[in-house]
mmCIF file of all heavy atoms in Angstrom:
data_model
loop_
_atom_site.group_PDB
_atom_site.id
_atom_site.type_symbol
_atom_site.label_atom_id
_atom_site.label_comp_id
_atom_site.label_asym_id
_atom_site.label_seq_id
_atom_site.Cartn_x
_atom_site.Cartn_y
_atom_site.Cartn_z
ATOM 1 N N PRO A 134 2.937 -23.898 -22.050
ATOM 2 C CA PRO A 134 1.612 -24.331 -21.594
ATOM 3 C C PRO A 134 1.585 -25.836 -21.359
ATOM 4 O O PRO A 134 2.070 -26.606 -22.178
ATOM 5 C CB PRO A 134 0.689 -23.934 -22.747
ATOM 6 C CG PRO A 134 1.560 -23.698 -23.909
ATOM 7 C CD PRO A 134 2.903 -23.322 -23.398
ATOM 8 N N ARG A 135 1.037 -26.210 -20.234
ATOM 9 C CA ARG A 135 1.053 -27.629 -19.850
ATOM 10 C C ARG A 135 -0.174 -28.324 -20.430
ATOM 11 O O ARG A 135 -1.242 -27.733 -20.531
ATOM 12 C CB ARG A 135 1.061 -27.756 -18.330
ATOM 13 C CG ARG A 135 2.308 -27.133 -17.793
ATOM 14 C CD ARG A 135 2.559 -27.472 -16.361
ATOM 15 N NE ARG A 135 3.612 -26.610 -15.869
ATOM 16 C CZ ARG A 135 3.453 -25.677 -14.949
ATOM 17 N NH1 ARG A 135 2.287 -25.528 -14.371
ATOM 18 N NH2 ARG A 135 4.451 -24.914 -14.589
ATOM 19 N N PRO A 136 -0.039 -29.598 -20.812
ATOM 20 C CA PRO A 136 -1.183 -30.290 -21.405
ATOM 21 C C PRO A 136 -2.293 -30.501 -20.370
ATOM 22 O O PRO A 136 -2.027 -30.805 -19.218
ATOM 23 C CB PRO A 136 -0.591 -31.627 -21.859
ATOM 24 C CG PRO A 136 0.614 -31.816 -21.030
ATOM 25 C CD PRO A 136 1.143 -30.466 -20.713
ATOM 26 N N LYS A 137 -3.509 -30.280 -20.829
ATOM 27 C CA LYS A 137 -4.648 -30.371 -19.927
ATOM 28 C C LYS A 137 -4.972 -31.841 -19.665
ATOM 29 O O LYS A 137 -5.081 -32.612 -20.605
ATOM 30 C CB LYS A 137 -5.834 -29.679 -20.596
ATOM 31 C CG LYS A 137 -6.868 -29.155 -19.654
ATOM 32 C CD LYS A 137 -7.905 -28.364 -20.406
ATOM 33 C CE LYS A 137 -8.854 -29.307 -21.127
ATOM 34 N NZ LYS A 137 -10.172 -28.685 -21.316
ATOM 35 N N PRO A 138 -5.141 -32.249 -18.407
ATOM 36 C CA PRO A 138 -5.524 -33.640 -18.170
ATOM 37 C C PRO A 138 -6.966 -33.865 -18.613
ATOM 38 O O PRO A 138 -7.786 -32.955 -18.516
ATOM 39 C CB PRO A 138 -5.388 -33.794 -16.650
ATOM 40 C CG PRO A 138 -5.502 -32.423 -16.102
ATOM 41 C CD PRO A 138 -4.996 -31.487 -17.155
ATOM 42 N N PRO A 139 -7.291 -35.072 -19.141
ATOM 43 C CA PRO A 139 -8.657 -35.275 -19.629
ATOM 44 C C PRO A 139 -9.655 -35.240 -18.475
ATOM 45 O O PRO A 139 -9.344 -35.638 -17.357
ATOM 46 C CB PRO A 139 -8.614 -36.659 -20.274
ATOM 47 C CG PRO A 139 -7.446 -37.331 -19.653
ATOM 48 C CD PRO A 139 -6.465 -36.279 -19.304
ATOM 49 N N THR A 140 -10.854 -34.740 -18.761
ATOM 50 C CA THR A 140 -11.896 -34.684 -17.739
ATOM 51 C C THR A 140 -12.475 -36.082 -17.551
ATOM 52 O O THR A 140 -12.248 -36.982 -18.357
ATOM 53 C CB THR A 140 -13.012 -33.729 -18.151
ATOM 54 O OG1 THR A 140 -13.591 -34.230 -19.362
ATOM 55 C CG2 THR A 140 -12.483 -32.333 -18.393
ATOM 56 N N LYS A 141 -13.300 -36.265 -16.501
ATOM 57 C CA LYS A 141 -13.866 -37.578 -16.206
ATOM 58 C C LYS A 141 -14.675 -38.077 -17.392
ATOM 59 O O LYS A 141 -14.593 -39.235 -17.771
ATOM 60 C CB LYS A 141 -14.771 -37.493 -14.969
ATOM 61 C CG LYS A 141 -14.035 -37.219 -13.669
ATOM 62 C CD LYS A 141 -13.200 -38.395 -13.194
ATOM 63 C CE LYS A 141 -13.979 -39.449 -12.459
ATOM 64 N NZ LYS A 141 -14.476 -39.035 -11.159
ATOM 65 N N TRP A 142 -15.453 -37.178 -17.993
ATOM 66 C CA TRP A 142 -16.271 -37.586 -19.126
ATOM 67 C C TRP A 142 -15.399 -37.973 -20.306
ATOM 68 O O TRP A 142 -15.666 -38.950 -21.001
ATOM 69 C CB TRP A 142 -17.227 -36.470 -19.541
ATOM 70 C CG TRP A 142 -17.864 -36.765 -20.859
ATOM 71 C CD1 TRP A 142 -17.574 -36.197 -22.050
ATOM 72 C CD2 TRP A 142 -18.840 -37.772 -21.119
ATOM 73 N NE1 TRP A 142 -18.319 -36.755 -23.041
ATOM 74 C CE2 TRP A 142 -19.109 -37.732 -22.501
ATOM 75 C CE3 TRP A 142 -19.524 -38.700 -20.322
ATOM 76 C CZ2 TRP A 142 -20.033 -38.574 -23.102
ATOM 77 C CZ3 TRP A 142 -20.444 -39.529 -20.934
ATOM 78 C CH2 TRP A 142 -20.689 -39.460 -22.315
ATOM 79 N N GLU A 143 -14.319 -37.184 -20.534
ATOM 80 C CA GLU A 143 -13.430 -37.472 -21.671
ATOM 81 C C GLU A 143 -12.773 -38.834 -21.516
ATOM 82 O O GLU A 143 -12.640 -39.586 -22.486
ATOM 83 C CB GLU A 143 -12.374 -36.374 -21.805
ATOM 84 C CG GLU A 143 -12.914 -35.140 -22.485
ATOM 85 C CD GLU A 143 -11.929 -33.986 -22.459
ATOM 86 O OE1 GLU A 143 -10.820 -34.149 -21.927
ATOM 87 O OE2 GLU A 143 -12.288 -32.925 -22.973
ATOM 88 N N GLU A 144 -12.402 -39.168 -20.282
ATOM 89 C CA GLU A 144 -11.794 -40.479 -20.039
ATOM 90 C C GLU A 144 -12.777 -41.591 -20.343
ATOM 91 O O GLU A 144 -12.454 -42.583 -20.994
ATOM 92 C CB GLU A 144 -11.372 -40.602 -18.566
ATOM 93 C CG GLU A 144 -10.071 -39.917 -18.271
ATOM 94 C CD GLU A 144 -9.770 -39.929 -16.779
ATOM 95 O OE1 GLU A 144 -10.481 -40.619 -16.015
ATOM 96 O OE2 GLU A 144 -8.838 -39.232 -16.394
ATOM 97 N N PHE A 145 -14.025 -41.376 -19.853
ATOM 98 C CA PHE A 145 -15.077 -42.368 -20.058
ATOM 99 C C PHE A 145 -15.366 -42.538 -21.549
ATOM 100 O O PHE A 145 -15.493 -43.657 -22.049
ATOM 101 C CB PHE A 145 -16.331 -41.923 -19.301
ATOM 102 C CG PHE A 145 -17.494 -42.839 -19.443
ATOM 103 C CD1 PHE A 145 -17.531 -44.036 -18.750
ATOM 104 C CD2 PHE A 145 -18.555 -42.509 -20.271
ATOM 105 C CE1 PHE A 145 -18.610 -44.887 -18.886
ATOM 106 C CE2 PHE A 145 -19.634 -43.363 -20.401
ATOM 107 C CZ PHE A 145 -19.670 -44.561 -19.712
ATOM 108 N N ALA A 146 -15.460 -41.419 -22.253
ATOM 109 C CA ALA A 146 -15.766 -41.462 -23.692
ATOM 110 C C ALA A 146 -14.673 -42.184 -24.459
ATOM 111 O O ALA A 146 -14.940 -42.941 -25.389
ATOM 112 C CB ALA A 146 -15.946 -40.048 -24.209
ATOM 113 N N LEU A 147 -13.433 -41.936 -24.032
ATOM 114 C CA LEU A 147 -12.301 -42.588 -24.693
ATOM 115 C C LEU A 147 -12.371 -44.086 -24.504
ATOM 116 O O LEU A 147 -12.160 -44.874 -25.431
ATOM 117 C CB LEU A 147 -11.009 -42.040 -24.090
ATOM 118 C CG LEU A 147 -9.774 -42.118 -24.967
ATOM 119 C CD1 LEU A 147 -9.920 -41.182 -26.131
ATOM 120 C CD2 LEU A 147 -8.544 -41.766 -24.173
ATOM 121 N N LYS A 148 -12.713 -44.465 -23.270
ATOM 122 C CA LYS A 148 -12.758 -45.883 -22.947
ATOM 123 C C LYS A 148 -13.862 -46.573 -23.721
ATOM 124 O O LYS A 148 -13.689 -47.663 -24.248
ATOM 125 C CB LYS A 148 -12.977 -46.028 -21.432
ATOM 126 C CG LYS A 148 -12.626 -47.388 -20.882
ATOM 127 C CD LYS A 148 -12.676 -47.393 -19.370
ATOM 128 C CE LYS A 148 -14.103 -47.291 -18.914
ATOM 129 N NZ LYS A 148 -14.281 -47.455 -17.471
ATOM 130 N N LYS A 149 -15.023 -45.914 -23.787
ATOM 131 C CA LYS A 149 -16.176 -46.536 -24.440
ATOM 132 C C LYS A 149 -16.173 -46.347 -25.941
ATOM 133 O O LYS A 149 -16.973 -46.954 -26.631
ATOM 134 C CB LYS A 149 -17.472 -45.917 -23.873
ATOM 135 C CG LYS A 149 -17.804 -46.360 -22.489
ATOM 136 C CD LYS A 149 -18.515 -47.690 -22.511
ATOM 137 C CE LYS A 149 -18.936 -48.095 -21.126
ATOM 138 N NZ LYS A 149 -19.899 -49.184 -21.150
ATOM 139 N N GLY A 150 -15.324 -45.468 -26.423
ATOM 140 C CA GLY A 150 -15.286 -45.219 -27.855
ATOM 141 C C GLY A 150 -16.415 -44.322 -28.319
ATOM 142 O O GLY A 150 -16.856 -44.414 -29.459
ATOM 143 N N ILE A 151 -16.892 -43.449 -27.446
ATOM 144 C CA ILE A 151 -17.992 -42.551 -27.808
ATOM 145 C C ILE A 151 -17.416 -41.379 -28.595
ATOM 146 O O ILE A 151 -16.475 -40.729 -28.165
ATOM 147 C CB ILE A 151 -18.703 -42.013 -26.544
ATOM 148 C CG1 ILE A 151 -19.254 -43.180 -25.712
ATOM 149 C CG2 ILE A 151 -19.830 -41.064 -26.912
ATOM 150 C CD1 ILE A 151 -19.770 -42.772 -24.363
ATOM 151 N N GLN A 152 -18.036 -41.124 -29.761
ATOM 152 C CA GLN A 152 -17.576 -40.010 -30.578
ATOM 153 C C GLN A 152 -18.442 -38.793 -30.317
ATOM 154 O O GLN A 152 -19.611 -38.919 -30.019
ATOM 155 C CB GLN A 152 -17.693 -40.364 -32.069
ATOM 156 C CG GLN A 152 -16.909 -41.574 -32.481
ATOM 157 C CD GLN A 152 -15.419 -41.298 -32.538
ATOM 158 O OE1 GLN A 152 -14.975 -40.190 -32.289
ATOM 159 N NE2 GLN A 152 -14.666 -42.323 -32.859
ATOM 160 N N LYS A 153 -17.830 -37.641 -30.499
ATOM 161 C CA LYS A 153 -18.602 -36.399 -30.334
ATOM 162 C C LYS A 153 -19.490 -36.242 -31.547
ATOM 163 O O LYS A 153 -19.035 -36.421 -32.674
ATOM 164 C CB LYS A 153 -17.645 -35.205 -30.282
ATOM 165 C CG LYS A 153 -17.229 -34.810 -28.914
ATOM 166 C CD LYS A 153 -16.637 -33.422 -28.951
ATOM 167 C CE LYS A 153 -15.827 -33.219 -27.689
ATOM 168 N NZ LYS A 153 -15.206 -31.906 -27.680
ATOM 169 N N ARG A 154 -20.756 -35.869 -31.309
ATOM 170 C CA ARG A 154 -21.656 -35.625 -32.434
ATOM 171 C C ARG A 154 -22.065 -34.162 -32.416
ATOM 172 O O ARG A 154 -22.436 -33.625 -31.388
ATOM 173 C CB ARG A 154 -22.911 -36.487 -32.323
ATOM 174 C CG ARG A 154 -22.599 -37.935 -32.494
ATOM 175 C CD ARG A 154 -23.511 -38.624 -33.506
ATOM 176 N NE ARG A 154 -23.162 -40.032 -33.534
ATOM 177 C CZ ARG A 154 -23.871 -40.964 -32.909
ATOM 178 N NH1 ARG A 154 -24.974 -40.634 -32.257
ATOM 179 N NH2 ARG A 154 -23.478 -42.220 -32.955
ATOM 180 N N LYS A 155 -22.044 -33.571 -33.607
ATOM 181 C CA LYS A 155 -22.411 -32.167 -33.697
ATOM 182 C C LYS A 155 -23.926 -32.062 -33.575
ATOM 183 O O LYS A 155 -24.665 -32.742 -34.284
ATOM 184 C CB LYS A 155 -21.937 -31.639 -35.057
ATOM 185 C CG LYS A 155 -22.153 -30.189 -35.254
ATOM 186 C CD LYS A 155 -20.915 -29.387 -34.937
ATOM 187 C CE LYS A 155 -21.285 -27.918 -35.040
ATOM 188 N NZ LYS A 155 -20.284 -26.983 -34.950
ATOM 189 N N LYS A 156 -24.395 -31.173 -32.675
ATOM 190 C CA LYS A 156 -25.838 -31.043 -32.477
ATOM 191 C C LYS A 156 -26.364 -29.906 -33.341
ATOM 192 O O LYS A 156 -25.724 -28.863 -33.477
ATOM 193 C CB LYS A 156 -26.128 -30.756 -31.013
ATOM 194 C CG LYS A 156 -25.803 -31.916 -30.101
ATOM 195 C CD LYS A 156 -26.442 -31.726 -28.741
ATOM 196 C CE LYS A 156 -26.286 -32.948 -27.895
ATOM 197 N NZ LYS A 156 -24.986 -33.033 -27.224
ATOM 198 N N ASP A 157 -27.570 -30.115 -33.880
ATOM 199 C CA ASP A 157 -28.179 -29.075 -34.705
ATOM 200 C C ASP A 157 -28.798 -28.005 -33.830
ATOM 201 O O ASP A 157 -29.312 -28.288 -32.751
ATOM 202 C CB ASP A 157 -29.268 -29.683 -35.594
ATOM 203 C CG ASP A 157 -28.665 -30.533 -36.680
ATOM 204 O OD1 ASP A 157 -27.555 -30.201 -37.128
ATOM 205 O OD2 ASP A 157 -29.292 -31.527 -37.064
ATOM 206 N N LYS A 158 -28.816 -26.802 -34.345
ATOM 207 C CA LYS A 158 -29.431 -25.708 -33.584
ATOM 208 C C LYS A 158 -30.939 -25.778 -33.667
ATOM 209 O O LYS A 158 -31.644 -25.384 -32.752
ATOM 210 C CB LYS A 158 -28.939 -24.370 -34.138
ATOM 211 C CG LYS A 158 -27.618 -23.938 -33.587
ATOM 212 C CD LYS A 158 -27.364 -22.478 -33.827
ATOM 213 C CE LYS A 158 -25.938 -22.162 -33.406
ATOM 214 N NZ LYS A 158 -25.448 -20.948 -34.032
ATOM 215 N N ILE A 159 -31.452 -26.264 -34.801
ATOM 216 C CA ILE A 159 -32.911 -26.361 -34.977
ATOM 217 C C ILE A 159 -33.278 -27.841 -34.924
ATOM 218 O O ILE A 159 -32.681 -28.654 -35.608
ATOM 219 C CB ILE A 159 -33.335 -25.772 -36.333
ATOM 220 C CG1 ILE A 159 -32.720 -24.391 -36.518
ATOM 221 C CG2 ILE A 159 -34.835 -25.750 -36.472
ATOM 222 C CD1 ILE A 159 -33.335 -23.291 -35.706
#
Side-chain angles (χ1 to χ4, degrees):
Chain A
R135 298 193 192 113
K137 205 174 77 153
T140 61
K141 292 289 278 291
W142 168 255
E143 280 173 1
E144 280 174 9
F145 179 76
L147 205 68
K148 198 172 71 173
K149 287 277 184 166
I151 301 171
Q152 301 286 359
K153 267 196 198 179
R154 293 230 183 101
K155 184 97 185 188
K156 293 195 172 82
D157 289 328
K158 276 197 187 159
I159 310 286

